Amino acid sequence: MDAHPPRNFAIDCLRGVAILLVVVHHLALPFRLPLAPSLLGPWVPKRLIDAVSFNGYEAVFMFFVISGFLITTRILDRDGDLRRVRLGAFYLARARRILPLLLVVLSVLTLLAALGVPDFAPSSRQSLGGLLGSALTFTFNWYEGRTGWAPAAWDVLWSLSIEEVFYVGFPLLCLVLPRQLLIVALAVLALSLLPLRSLVPVSNEVWWEKAYLPGMSAIAWGVLAALAAQRWRPAVRDARALAIFGGFCVLLVIGWGDLVHRHLFKSGMYGLCLGTCAMLIAFRAQTPSPRSGLRWLARMGRLSYELYLSHMFVVLGTVALYRALLGASQAWTFVVYVPAAVLCVGLAMALERFMARLTRLATRGTPASRAEDTEIARSG
């Protein structure tokens, strides 16, 4: 088995699209710097503005699917079969990938919260200890569901809690359950996405968005797609058709989600997961050659974890600076989007270099296999 397969340019681009939607969404919220009221608004179709502005939640579910696909693919490439997953290597790799940057970001969040900085400090129903403890134990969603919306800078941690709780149990199930039963369990979880969401009262806005099981359902879609990709490698023509179909499904949900919800039995999240899976299988089977015009997007995809954890520092700083200069006027909000995205990437790159330097210092003199172990987590 190849311990260090080359990166998949197309999958990196897909992750880049997802993280870009998240960044734009957090900028474009109505109480921040929305696009529609700006001078650009009358010149751009409302549906297009809504598509790029308000699909951050859907983008996170795309991340869930991609994460399940990549983590499972790495296990299959490394160990040959899910039943032979090495628990120690898996958990250690996840910890090395997730925890160092998370601890750095939490340290900064804690400092700013202790200083009482708006959008960082806890509300009256929350405490700094509660925010920090729930983030470190990946119970952030439970805490937020009980106490209300977390400060904006902390709020992004909800999806990380869902992923890591899933990956605590997933390798154990791989070892305990027979393959066929594991696939059945994953399929039931994947198909239960909408029923699981419907169990949550709509009145509980936090829990409606951030319940654990619907997010895990999306990860299960990705795991199943990786298992399918192991056995089925479509030819070039079929892979191209599959990628086009997947892209159509995702675009349909992102651009015309209201119509899908109204006329296709509220199946938008299924369409999003199915479309993402189709593209992942196609890109795995027939990897498109890198395109120079999309290298920036692939770079964002490779930095998706760093971008996700750090982008709110830039978003909140951009909003504060805009309001300090222009007050409540929303005429020029469109001007900040490209610079803000560039700053987000710059911060993520700086964090990547910083964490790489820390890793080299921490692993100096250790066996070379440690770098190989981290590759499992790096895929997710």
Side-chain angles (χ1 to χ4, degrees):
M1 297 292 175
D2 182 7
H4 300 281
R7 295 197 69 96
N8 190 301
F9 181 80
I11 294 179
D12 280 338
C13 286
L14 189 60
R15 289 204 288 189
V17 169
I19 192 60
L20 188 58
L21 285 172
V22 169
V23 173
V24 171
H25 171 72
H26 286 147
L27 267 173
L29 289 170
F31 50 85
R32 291 193 183 130
L33 303 175
L35 283 170
S38 73
L39 295 175
L40 185 67
W43 298 92
V44 180
K46 182 180 182 300
R47 187 170 292 279
L48 178 58
I49 287 180
D50 290 346
V52 300
S53 298
F54 303 123
N55 278 293
Y57 184 72
E58 287 74 9
V60 170
F61 270 70
M62 289 176 64
F63 271 123
F64 287 150
V65 177
I66 296 169
S67 174
F69 182 88
L70 291 176
I71 294 296
T72 305
T73 297
R74 282 301 302 156
I75 294 174
L76 296 173
D77 286 346
R78 179 186 173 110
D79 301 324
D81 192 287
L82 292 181
R83 290 168 295 185
R84 292 199 291 270
V85 60
R86 290 180 285 166
L87 290 181
F90 181 88
Y91 290 135
L92 189 58
R94 290 302 297 168
R96 285 175 178 157
R97 172 57 175 154
I98 297 300
L99 291 180
L101 181 59
L102 178 62
L103 292 175
V104 169
V105 171
L106 287 177
S107 298
V108 178
L109 289 174
T110 300
L111 174 61
L112 294 175
L115 294 173
V117 178
D119 290 320
F120 292 87
S123 68
S124 58
R125 296 182 59 191
Q126 298 166 341
S127 67
L128 181 54
L131 289 171
L132 187 59
S134 59
L136 289 171
T137 57
F138 304 114
T139 56
F140 195 83
N141 307 32
W142 287 104
Y143 184 76
E144 198 173 12
R146 294 195 309 271
T147 62
W149 295 103
W154 294 76
D155 191 56
V156 297
L157 297 173
W158 70 274
S159 62
L160 187 62
S161 292
I162 291 174
E163 280 200 51
E164 297 317 308
V165 169
F166 181 91
Y167 290 127
V168 167
F170 174 60
L172 297 175
L173 292 178
C174 291
L175 294 176
V176 171
L177 296 180
R179 182 183 177 90
Q180 290 185 340
L181 185 57
L182 175 65
I183 292 175
V184 169
L186 289 168
V188 170
L189 179 58
L191 294 175
S192 299
L193 197 161
L194 288 187
L196 288 170
R197 288 198 77 200
S198 67
L199 293 176
V200 182
V202 181
S203 57
N204 189 336
E205 293 182 2
V206 176
W207 204 233
W208 173 254
E209 285 195 9
K210 301 175 181 181
Y212 281 83
L213 288 178
M216 292 182 182
S217 296
I219 300 175
W221 277 88
V223 175
L224 291 170
L227 293 172
Q230 184 190 33
R231 293 179 173 271
W232 177 45
R233 296 260 176 155
V236 174
R237 184 175 180 179
D238 294 335
R240 185 179 296 116
L242 188 63
I244 292 172
F245 168 75
F248 170 79
C249 290
V250 171
L251 285 175
L252 185 65
V253 174
I254 289 176
W256 292 270
D258 56 328
L259 299 180
V260 172
H261 185 82
R262 190 180 311 132
H263 301 296
L264 295 178
F265 311 105
K266 304 179 181 180
S267 60
M269 298 307 290
Y270 286 138
L272 189 79
C273 293
L274 176 63
T276 304
C277 286
M279 285 190 285
L280 290 169
I281 293 172
F283 296 155
R284 170 75 171 170
Q286 305 293 336
T287 304
S289 301
R291 306 291 179 86
S292 58
L294 293 176
R295 291 188 187 278
W296 64 273
L297 189 61
R299 181 64 172 143
M300 290 188 72
R302 291 194 294 273
L303 289 168
S304 57
Y305 180 56
E306 289 82 1
L307 275 165
Y308 188 77
L309 281 191
S310 66
H311 75 278
M312 285 304 296
F313 295 107
V314 175
V315 167
L316 295 173
T318 300
V319 173
L321 179 60
Y322 180 93
R323 289 178 178 164
L325 294 174
L326 297 175
S329 171
Q330 296 178 328
W332 298 97
T333 56
F334 70 94
V335 174
V336 308
Y337 280 75
V338 172
V342 171
L343 285 173
C344 286
V345 173
L347 176 59
M349 291 174 64
L351 286 171
E352 181 190 46
R353 288 193 294 269
F354 176 69
M355 300 312 301
R357 189 174 296 112
L358 285 183
T359 300
R360 284 195 297 270
L361 291 174
T363 59
R364 183 174 295 172
T366 60
S369 60
R370 179 168 294 183
E372 179 184 332
D373 290 339
T374 62
E375 199 66 27
I376 297 177
R378 193 166 295 164
S379 299

